[in-house]
Amino acid sequence: MARGDAEFAEFAGASFQRLRRAAYLLTGNSQQAEDAAQTALVKTYAAWRRVQRQDPYAYTRRIMVNHLKDQWRRPIREDAHEPERLPDRASEQDLAGDITEQRWLLAALAKLADRERAVVVLRHYFDLSERDVAAELDIAVGTVKSLNARALAKLRISLDTGEPIMNGVTS
């Protein structure tokens, strides 16, 4: 195994679970989440020489989000009645695992519009700045602010009143 391959294998092993959990928050589907994380890592490997000296995790995360955005534009038809299982937990101290296992959070995120969900996950799960979220989603910073505010308001209403969010809007 070449030196770059070993470094990539280490990076992929360390990054895969967090990428998969983030993708799960974005999609609500474990198969799509695993596919998105794997696709992002495959594309990162293809560009590894170029990105390894920069921030390979940010590069991989951006690829994953773009892959999911493409899927939202061309949705895959699946049986909506298929039961969903949560990703396996990596360790007892894995905060990302704790977050993804909160069914109420997953249910609330799933009811937001795709762009609202992407902004909330990137902004609050990855702790990215508004500017970084805007760059990753290729939208204006003002759009990030308004999508984030709207999504958080919907989540607050849903949690405070127990009122469900329907199709990205509160009922």
Side-chain angles (χ1 to χ4, degrees):
M1 187 183 299
R3 180 171 177 238
D5 288 347
E7 290 172 354
F8 176 78
E10 183 179 332
F11 165 75
S15 304
F16 180 74
Q17 292 299 327
R18 187 159 190 226
L19 289 166
R20 184 179 68 153
R21 287 192 175 98
Y24 186 74
L25 290 174
L26 290 166
T27 65
N29 180 294
S30 61
Q31 288 82 21
Q32 285 180 343
E34 190 157 330
D35 177 61
Q38 289 175 354
T39 298
L41 286 169
V42 166
K43 290 182 178 183
T44 299
Y45 179 72
W48 184 247
R49 284 187 183 184
R50 180 172 41 92
V51 299
Q52 72 182 13
R53 289 180 290 278
Q54 299 166 4
D55 185 354
Y57 188 77
Y59 180 85
T60 307
R61 184 186 59 235
R62 178 172 291 149
I63 288 173
M64 184 182 74
V65 170
N66 287 339
H67 174 73
L68 291 171
K69 281 173 40 181
D70 289 344
Q71 284 186 340
W72 294 335
R73 292 180 188 126
R74 295 182 303 265
I76 298 172
R77 303 288 180 229
E78 291 186 3
D79 183 6
H81 302 293
E82 181 179 314
E84 188 59 37
R85 72 172 183 84
L86 295 172
D88 299 328
R89 278 183 69 170
S91 73
E92 286 300 313
Q93 297 179 330
D94 183 10
L95 181 58
D98 292 343
I99 291 170
T100 58
E101 288 184 8
Q102 299 296 319
R103 290 192 182 275
W104 62 267
L105 176 60
L106 295 173
L109 285 173
K111 294 174 184 172
L112 294 174
D114 291 338
R115 285 188 352 156
E116 291 171 341
R117 185 171 51 250
V119 167
V120 168
V121 170
L122 290 171
R123 184 82 176 94
H124 302 285
Y125 181 77
F126 282 114
D127 199 27
L128 296 182
S129 69
E130 291 166 339
R131 199 168 125 213
D132 291 340
V133 173
E136 285 211 19
L137 296 178
D138 196 26
I139 57 178
V141 173
T143 304
V144 170
K145 290 178 181 182
S146 63
L147 286 169
N148 188 52
R150 190 175 335 145
L152 292 178
K154 289 176 184 178
L155 291 172
R156 273 188 216 103
I157 290 169
S158 177
L159 293 175
D160 289 346
T161 64
E163 184 178 309
I165 303 171
M166 304 300 273
N167 296 328
V169 243
T170 57
S171 54

